[in-house]
Amino acid sequence: MRVCFHGTAEEIALVAGRPMLVLLTARDLPRLRVFEIFYPHVLRHPYQERYQLCADLAETEVSDHA
């Protein structure tokens, strides 16, 4: 799945350097879903100090003991 995040340089830096992303779900089970991040690409908005990070995500399994 392809996703994009928008934010400041500091916010994007929190996501861009990570190999995995953990998302909390509202009602689905399991409560936590873990995704590997592939092919991240950061774009800068031409008129503002805002950035966009686009990447491919693939859901992965995590053991309960990790």
Side-chain angles (χ1 to χ4, degrees), residues 37-66:
I37 300 173
F38 297 99
Y39 312 113
H41 183 72
V42 178
L43 301 171
R44 184 177 180 275
H45 190 282
Y47 304 110
Q48 301 173 358
E49 292 300 318
R50 303 293 287 180
Y51 294 82
Q52 176 182 10
L53 167 70
C54 292
D56 292 332
L57 298 182
E59 191 165 6
T60 187
E61 295 288 324
V62 176
S63 71
D64 293 337
H65 304 290

Side-chain angles (χ1 to χ4, degrees), residues 4-44:
C4 292
F5 300 94
H6 299 265
T8 64
E10 294 81 21
E11 292 167 338
I12 294 299
L14 289 173
V15 177
R18 309 230 186 267
M20 294 191 173
L21 179 67
V22 176
L23 299 177
L24 296 173
T25 59
R27 297 187 181 132
D28 296 326
L29 293 174
R31 187 88 166 115
L32 295 176
R33 297 178 77 179
V34 179
F35 296 87
E36 288 187 69
I37 300 173
F38 297 99
Y39 312 113
H41 183 72
V42 178
L43 301 171
R44 184 177 180 275

